[in-house]
């Protein structure tokens, strides 16, 4: 019994440590990328090329003094960031990094991620309310309203993906994209989902909850030192999680272009014009099989690198959007959700099943 | 556009022109959603007319044998 518990703990550590390291490096990537877009250097002092800046920041924040405002509700004040971080990291439990390579690849994985990301709202609400500060309270109200509104967008977009794949399991969703990635039939939904995930993670241009010019720093105005680190990690953790989820739902997750297919394509052209002969194919195929098919470590590495690369491209898009667009007003944010995105999604929710039914292409498990 | 907001039941075409300019997201959402039921009405008969019949459903169980069943009289099989 203890053996299985220890194995489970090791599995959790194996996922969480790289995830947290990745989150730390996303912060550096963001600062360097934005610096490059704004023609400055960015962090370049701590470590080679500024690569250790995140750890220096974390160390500084960990060594800082705790400050809690007078008459703040101390328990909720410190519990809020903890709740946010825990629910942000819980989402990583169902992410498949390869075929059946997840901590728990259970059948309602998509529901689970949606539920967990909704629960993170409570941490923000509690932290903002308990700080006994107008800025923090207004920030938490804004953030809660925004998250609840844009969750509808995300869940409606996910509903369309589920209609196409017929499963709530993330692995089944990925495997059903072997023929074609969902981004091609569902490009408008992908764009809406991306906008929704930018808003869901409180990122610019939808970062009204922490608008410096109006609310100092929003719901985390009074938080400093370690609890601020928790908020910071939770924010970037949910960004990375949303990017991984987007790459799973729309970009095929760990599926990469089959290198043998690419080879076959070029080989058939070169063979037909008489440039190479069959021996070349046999030698290539032998090495291909030995390196990629019979070697599970390299196969796993390719799966991991593929989902990492797709998520990194999406994270870059998040940063690019932040560097490019000015912040919008809060009423515009709400109106955009309720009067633009949701009507479009509801229209697609009516259209897509009609198309699937009339062309008899409903997924097998729905029939 | 000048003048009062047109009413749908009085002047439908004018209302559609107004809505396409002033409420584009709602208008085009209705148009996109309207294509769904239109698909249901138009596409299946056209498909059948062109010979594109629905594929038979994938069997989810083993097929039931059509040959006559052997009547069992005892508990065990015939071993002698």
């Amino acid at each position: 019994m203890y053996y299985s518990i220890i194995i489970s703990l090791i599995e959790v550590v194996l996922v969480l440590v790289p995830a947290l390291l990745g989150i730390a490096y996303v912060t550096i990537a963001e600062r360097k990328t934005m610096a490059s877009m704004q023609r400055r250097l960015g962090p370049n002092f701590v470590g080679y090329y500024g690569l250790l800046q995140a750890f220096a920041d974390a160390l500084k924040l960990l060594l800082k003094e705790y400050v809690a405002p007078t008459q703040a509700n101390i328990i909720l004040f410190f519990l809020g960031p903890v709740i946010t971080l825990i629910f942000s990291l819980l989402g990583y439990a169902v992410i498949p990094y390869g075929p059946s390579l997840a901590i728990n690849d259970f059948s309602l994985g998509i529901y689970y991620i949606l539920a967990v990301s909704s629960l993170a709202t409570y941490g923000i609400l509690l932290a903002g309310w308990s700080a006994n500060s107008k800025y923090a309270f207004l920030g938490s109200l804004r953030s809660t309203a925004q998250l609840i509104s844009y969750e509808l967008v995300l869940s409606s977009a996910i509903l369309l993906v589920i209609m196409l794949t017929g499963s709530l399991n993330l692995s089944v969703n990925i495997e059903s994209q072997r023929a074609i990635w969902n981004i091609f039939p569902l490009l408008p939904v992908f764009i809406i989902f991306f906008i929704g995930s930018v808003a869901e993670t409180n990122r610019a241009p939808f970062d009204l909850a922490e608008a410096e010019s109006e609310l100092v720093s929003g719901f985390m105005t009074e938080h400093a030192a370690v609890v601020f680190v928790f908020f910071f990690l939770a924010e970037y953790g949910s960004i990375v999680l949303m990017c991984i989820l987007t790459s799973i739902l729309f970009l095929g997750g760990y599926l990469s272009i089959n290198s043998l297919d690419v080879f076959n394509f070029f080989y058939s052209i070169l063979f037909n014009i008489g440039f190479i002969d069959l021996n070349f194919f046999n030698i290539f195929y032998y090495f291909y099989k030995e390196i990629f098919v019979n070697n599970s470590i390299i196969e796993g590495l390719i799966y991991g690198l593929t989902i990492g690369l797709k998520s990194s491209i999406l994270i870059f898009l998040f940063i690019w959007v932040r560097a490019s667009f000015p912040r919008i007003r809060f009423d515009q944010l709400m109106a955009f959700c309720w009067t633009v995105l949701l009507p479009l999604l509801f229209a697609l929710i009516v259209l897509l099943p009609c198309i699937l039914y009339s062309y008899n292409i409903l997924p097998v498990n729905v029939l | 556009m000048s003048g009062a907001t047109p009413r749908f039941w009085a002047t439908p075409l004018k209302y559609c022109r107004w809505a396409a300019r002033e409420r584009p997201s709602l208008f085009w959402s209705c148009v996109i959603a309207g294509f769904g039921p239109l698909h249901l009405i138009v596409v299946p008969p056209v498909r059948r007319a062109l010979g594109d019949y629905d594929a038979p459903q994938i069997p989810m169980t083993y097929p039931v044998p059509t040959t006559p069943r052997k009547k069992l009289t005892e508990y065990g099989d015939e071993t002698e």
Side-chain angles (χ1 to χ4, degrees):
Chain A
M1 193 185 90
Y2 291 117
Y3 181 73
S4 64
I5 291 173
I6 291 169
I7 291 287
S8 300
L9 281 175
I10 291 172
E11 281 176 352
V12 170
V13 169
L14 276 177
V15 170
L16 274 192
V17 170
L20 286 169
L21 276 175
I23 291 164
Y25 275 99
V26 166
T27 62
I28 304 174
E30 177 171 36
R31 290 175 67 178
K32 292 298 274 190
T33 312
M34 284 186 57
S36 169
M37 289 174 178
Q38 294 159 356
R39 295 196 177 183
R40 31 184 198 91
L41 283 176
N44 64 345
F45 188 75
V46 187
Y48 180 71
Y49 197 63
L51 284 178
L52 296 176
Q53 183 66 43
F55 301 102
D57 289 344
L59 197 65
K60 182 207 77 172
L61 286 165
L62 290 174
L63 294 175
K64 271 179 89 169
E65 185 188 4
Y66 288 99
V67 182
T70 50
Q71 296 188 337
N73 189 328
I74 297 292
I75 295 174
L76 293 182
F77 184 75
F78 289 114
L79 196 62
V82 176
I83 290 174
T84 315
L85 178 62
I86 287 174
F87 284 119
S88 167
L89 292 180
L90 272 177
Y92 287 89
V94 291
I95 299 291
Y97 298 96
S100 71
L101 194 65
I103 292 181
N104 189 358
D105 189 19
F106 80 118
S107 54
L108 300 176
I110 296 178
Y111 267 171
Y112 171 82
I113 286 190
L114 279 177
V116 161
S117 67
S118 312
L119 285 171
T121 317
Y122 283 101
I124 291 170
L125 192 63
L126 289 177
W129 175 78
S130 62
N132 191 29
S133 159
K134 272 183 282 205
Y135 299 118
F137 186 53
L138 280 173
S140 74
L141 282 184
R142 277 187 177 190
S143 180
T144 310
Q146 179 180 340
L147 292 186
I148 288 172
S149 305
Y150 278 88
E151 251 159 35
L152 289 177
V153 173
L154 289 190
S155 32
S156 306
I158 286 175
L159 191 65
L160 286 161
V161 178
I162 292 167
M163 280 178 196
L164 211 61
T165 56
S167 174
L168 285 163
N169 185 319
L170 288 168
S171 294
V172 175
N173 264 282
I174 294 174
E175 291 299 331
S176 67
Q177 295 177 62
R178 278 203 184 270
I180 188 166
W181 294 354
N182 279 343
I183 189 173
F184 295 109
L186 296 178
L187 182 65
V189 184
F190 169 76
I191 295 167
I192 293 173
F193 187 86
F194 183 76
I195 294 170
S197 53
V198 171
E200 180 75 6
T201 48
N202 274 334
R203 294 279 297 175
F206 305 126
D207 57 342
L208 277 304
E210 42 195 275
E212 298 88 5
S213 51
E214 303 162 21
L215 293 177
V216 190
S217 185
F219 56 87
M220 57 173 104
T221 303
E222 307 291 345
H223 290 79
V226 176
V227 282
F228 176 75
V229 176
F230 286 178
F231 266 136
F232 201 69
L233 284 178
E235 192 180 325
Y236 281 86
S238 50
I239 290 168
V240 176
L241 186 69
M242 288 310 293
C243 289
I244 295 175
L245 187 65
T246 315
S247 67
I248 286 173
L249 291 177
F250 293 97
L251 300 175
Y254 52 74
L255 300 176
S256 51
I257 298 168
N258 190 348
S259 50
L260 196 60
D261 286 347
V262 178
F263 172 76
N264 278 341
F265 175 72
F266 288 110
Y267 173 79
S268 58
I269 293 172
L270 294 174
F271 184 77
N272 284 333
I273 59 173
F275 194 72
I276 49 176
D277 58 358
L278 205 60
N279 281 335
F280 181 78
F281 177 79
N282 287 337
I283 293 164
F284 174 84
Y285 189 66
Y286 173 77
F287 281 112
Y288 174 85
K289 231 166 58 175
E290 285 305 311
I291 294 169
F292 292 107
V293 181
N294 295 341
N295 193 335
S296 54
I297 293 175
I298 289 184
E299 197 187 357
L301 271 177
I302 291 172
Y303 283 133
L305 283 176
T306 309
I307 194 168
L309 183 70
K310 289 172 184 172
S311 309
S312 304
I313 292 169
L314 289 168
I315 290 169
F316 173 74
L317 272 180
F318 266 66
I319 299 167
W320 194 6
V321 164
R322 180 181 172 183
S324 302
F325 293 112
R327 187 180 290 139
I328 59 174
R329 279 200 326 264
F330 195 68
D331 60 315
Q332 289 172 330
L333 174 84
M334 284 302 179
F336 184 60
C337 173
W338 290 98
T339 63
V340 178
L341 293 183
L342 274 177
L344 274 174
L345 276 171
F346 288 159
L348 290 170
I349 285 173
V350 174
L351 178 68
L352 187 70
C354 292
I355 291 178
L356 293 178
Y357 183 79
S358 48
Y359 288 97
N360 192 26
I361 44 175
L362 278 165
V364 175
N365 13 0
V366 172
L367 286 170
Chain B
M1 291 176 79
S2 61
T5 307
R7 285 185 301 170
F8 180 76
W9 296 112
T11 49
L13 276 177
K14 199 174 172 191
Y15 178 85
C16 286
R17 284 186 61 199
W18 173 86
R21 283 164 184 269
E22 300 295 323
R23 307 270 187 275
S25 59
L26 294 175
F27 177 77
W28 290 110
S29 298
C30 292
V31 172
I32 291 170
F35 272 111
L38 201 68
H39 260 93
L40 284 182
I41 297 165
V42 174
V43 172
V46 173
R47 276 183 56 217
R48 262 179 246 121
L50 293 173
D52 182 16
Y53 298 106
D54 286 354
Q57 285 193 8
I58 296 170
M60 294 292 179
T61 55
Y62 290 107
V64 179
T66 51
T67 52
R69 299 285 182 93
K70 190 192 292 177
K71 284 198 175 169
L72 295 175
T73 50
E74 293 174 14
Y75 287 110
D77 295 334
E78 291 171 23
T79 49
E80 291 98 305

